Amino acid sequence: MFKIILFLIFVFLCNSLYALDIPTTIKSTIENNPKIKIGLEKINEAKELINKASGELLPDISSSITGTLESSNTKTTSSTTEDDTFADKYKLTITKNLYDAGIDKLEIERSKILFQNEIINFNILLENLIIDAITGYLTVLNYESSLTANQKNFEFLNKLLEETKTKYDLGSATIYDLQKAESSFSMSEANLFAAQQNLEIAKKSFKLIVSKEAINLDNLIEINDNINLNNIEENALKNNLSFSLIKNDIKNKNILLLKEKKSKKPYLDLTGTAEYSDSDRIDSGTETMKGNLAITLTIPIFQQGIDNSNIRKYFSQILQSEIELDDKTDELLLSISNTYKDFLINKSLMKANAYSMKAYKTSLESLNQEYLLGTKSITDLLEDEENLLNYTVNFSNSNKDYLISYFKILSLEGSLLDNFSEYLPKLE
């Protein structure tokens, strides 16, 4: 029994010491989020496009079996004749295209592009989930920090209110001092409640994405903030996933256009047939075996103008995609600039808020002493305490926004998945 108790204590301590970090958060998200499972099935589905297109190069083989039962009844003035016959026929047909101007091979190439598109879409899904998971992680940390600051503020103001009530009863504090202390305490109480509710909602959102409880999160997050805007833009134009999707769409439309042009060319088919038949299975009949080999040359002459219409349609779609690519380039660069700007601004805000926090902590220590000596009023004390709370919360907010901006930059650059490659599913 004693050993069991020790074991339970050991397990409890291990669990309490365990910290959930961002890599573990990403790993859990990828392993458990249902959107990942759906995305993987879509990739498996897209693989069949390649198998189907490759199968078009193989011959078509079909067979048929036909059985015919025929009954006849012939009457004459002198006799009646009944005749029943059962004939059967077995047929095997093999058809192989000898020349199609390369349309089937183009379809294989196109199916590979569609498969790549599905992988790109899956990676975009991964990026979005990783950003959501990181945002949820940092939001919980932010609200935990805010709750801690509001809890300290609440305890301080509660103590100060009690002291002010005592001083008011003794006549050493004014009614204004009491009202000011009560007002600040009431606001602190409301802020504390809001902080508690925000944290609860953030934890629920985190669990929905990550499938883990947001308990004991590691607040030590290391990043490489030595990033250069020009390098980010250069990498993004090569590696951004949405960008790659549009480029693939242009390739796909070009193949469809080429297929439509080739549909005007002749194609050649070879058909081989083997046939066995027995004219009567009931009585002695005639058995027949025959085979033939046919070559068919088909030359398209007029297809109701559909092919020309499709050619014009694909030209238009390619032009649309090229315009979209140019537009996407401008949007991407603008988005990178804005996110990079937010990254730098929040980095500066973190420093400014940290200095302000330090200054107001020092000021409060001094004010507390002067307040006890009676040289400073409660108003002075409450103003500095409120300022300390605001700068503490602002520091936490700017720290969260700073880190989120960093990971969004990696996503825009197309390098976010590289940072968590060991946790990603292996795609063939």
Side-chain angles (χ1 to χ4, degrees):
M1 182 66 180
F2 180 69
K3 290 182 179 180
I4 295 175
I5 293 173
L6 284 178
F7 175 75
L8 291 175
I9 292 173
F10 176 75
V11 170
F12 174 78
L13 288 175
C14 287
N15 288 335
S16 64
L17 291 173
Y18 174 76
L20 181 63
D21 56 10
I22 281 186
T24 308
T25 297
I26 302 306
K27 182 174 184 293
S28 178
T29 301
I30 292 172
E31 288 178 349
N32 300 302
N33 195 286
K35 292 179 181 178
I36 298 293
K37 298 174 183 177
I38 294 172
L40 288 172
E41 286 305 317
K42 286 184 177 180
I43 289 175
N44 289 332
E45 182 182 342
K47 286 179 183 177
E48 297 306 316
L49 295 173
I50 300 176
N51 293 334
K52 181 179 182 299
S54 300
E56 294 294 330
L57 297 176
L58 301 175
D60 289 330
I61 303 175
S62 62
S63 64
S64 63
I65 302 174
T66 305
T68 305
L69 177 63
E70 184 178 325
S71 179
S72 62
N73 192 326
T74 304
K75 291 183 179 181
T76 63
T77 55
S78 59
S79 65
T80 299
T81 304
E82 293 183 0
D83 187 18
D84 294 326
T85 60
F86 179 76
D88 54 355
K89 181 170 65 174
Y90 303 86
K91 185 177 181 181
L92 179 68
T93 303
I94 300 176
T95 303
K96 177 71 173 72
N97 176 262
L98 299 178
Y99 176 75
D100 66 349
I103 290 178
D104 285 344
K105 289 183 178 179
L106 283 174
E107 185 59 28
I108 293 175
E109 186 179 344
R110 177 173 174 267
S111 66
K112 290 178 180 178
I113 291 174
L114 295 177
F115 177 67
Q116 289 173 0
N117 281 352
E118 204 57 58
I119 291 179
I120 292 172
N121 281 321
F122 180 72
N123 285 333
I124 290 174
L125 169 66
L126 282 172
E127 278 193 341
N128 292 335
L129 280 175
I130 288 173
I131 291 293
D132 288 344
I134 291 173
T135 301
Y137 185 98
L138 296 173
T139 300
V140 171
L141 281 178
N142 182 41
Y143 284 142
E144 284 179 344
S145 175
S146 176
L147 179 60
T148 301
N150 278 282
Q151 183 68 44
K152 289 180 180 178
N153 179 259
F154 174 81
E155 292 171 356
F156 175 79
L157 292 180
N158 183 40
K159 180 182 177 182
L160 191 62
L161 176 60
E162 294 302 320
E163 291 177 357
T164 306
K165 285 180 178 178
T166 302
K167 288 184 177 182
Y168 177 76
D169 292 338
L170 295 174
S172 59
T174 66
I175 185 66
Y176 175 75
D177 291 336
L178 180 59
Q179 289 173 344
K180 185 69 176 177
E182 288 174 337
S183 173
S184 296
F185 175 76
S186 178
M187 182 60 68
S188 173
E189 194 173 30
N191 288 339
L192 179 61
F193 177 76
Q196 290 169 338
Q197 295 305 307
N198 286 336
L199 180 59
E200 287 302 313
I201 296 299
K203 285 184 174 181
K204 289 179 181 178
S205 299
F206 179 85
K207 186 177 181 181
L208 184 64
I209 299 169
V210 182
S211 300
K212 277 186 178 292
E213 298 287 348
I215 299 173
N216 200 17
L217 302 188
D218 186 0
N219 58 10
L220 180 62
I221 302 170
E222 296 182 3
I223 63 171
N224 176 22
D225 63 349
N226 187 25
I227 52 179
N228 179 274
L229 179 60
N230 291 331
N231 291 339
I232 294 168
E233 291 176 340
E234 184 179 341
N235 292 333
L237 293 176
K238 292 186 295 185
N239 303 319
N240 180 271
L241 293 177
S242 297
F243 224 57
S244 299
L245 208 56
I246 299 175
K247 291 176 182 177
N248 267 9
D249 184 58
I250 294 174
K251 291 179 183 178
N252 179 41
K253 296 291 173 44
N254 274 305
I255 290 177
L256 289 172
L257 173 63
L258 188 56
K259 282 182 63 179
E260 202 63 46
K261 288 179 177 179
K262 287 181 177 291
S263 70
K264 293 172 168 286
K265 295 185 177 182
Y267 51 93
L268 190 66
D269 291 318
L270 175 68
T271 303
T273 304
E275 185 178 306
Y276 166 79
S277 62
D278 190 337
S279 62
D280 191 351
R281 284 288 186 184
I282 298 176
D283 299 317
S284 297
T286 302
E287 295 184 24
T288 305
M289 295 183 67
K290 63 180 179 179
N292 63 69
L293 191 65
I295 295 179
T296 304
L297 176 66
T298 304
I299 303 174
I301 297 175
F302 180 68
Q303 299 174 333
Q304 300 176 324
I306 295 174
D307 49 351
N308 291 328
S309 174
N310 286 337
I311 287 172
R312 291 191 297 270
K313 178 183 72 175
Y314 289 131
F315 267 123
S316 175
Q317 290 180 357
I318 290 168
L319 179 60
Q320 291 174 49
S321 295
E322 289 174 344
I323 295 172
E324 183 185 2
L325 185 62
D326 291 337
D327 185 52
K328 186 70 177 179
T329 301
D330 296 334
E331 286 184 5
L332 179 61
L333 295 177
L334 179 60
S335 182
I336 289 172
S337 295
N338 278 325
T339 310
Y340 187 73
K341 174 204 68 178
D342 293 340
F343 175 76
L344 295 179
I345 289 174
N346 284 300
K347 187 176 181 179
S348 297
L349 286 174
M350 282 170 56
K351 291 181 179 179
N353 288 319
Y355 286 133
S356 297
M357 285 166 55
K358 186 177 180 181
Y360 278 104
K361 283 180 181 178
T362 303
S363 176
L364 269 173
E365 291 174 2
S366 176
L367 278 173
N368 269 312
Q369 297 299 320
E370 294 182 63
Y371 174 72
L372 293 174
L373 294 172
T375 58
K376 290 292 183 181
S377 68
I378 188 174
T379 302
D380 297 323
L381 200 59
L382 290 174
E383 284 180 358
D384 272 23
E385 176 62 29
E386 183 179 348
N387 286 328
L388 176 60
L389 174 64
N390 289 336
Y391 282 113
T392 302
V393 172
N394 288 341
F395 174 81
S396 181
N397 288 336
S398 57
N399 181 57
K400 181 196 77 170
D401 294 338
Y402 165 73
L403 292 170
I404 289 175
S405 297
Y406 172 77
F407 287 108
K408 283 184 176 179
I409 287 172
L410 295 185
S411 176
L412 291 169
E413 185 186 33
S415 63
L416 179 64
L417 298 184
D418 295 336
N419 288 266
F420 304 101
S421 57
E422 60 185 295
Y423 308 113
L424 304 183
K426 304 301 179 186
L427 303 177
E428 297 181 2

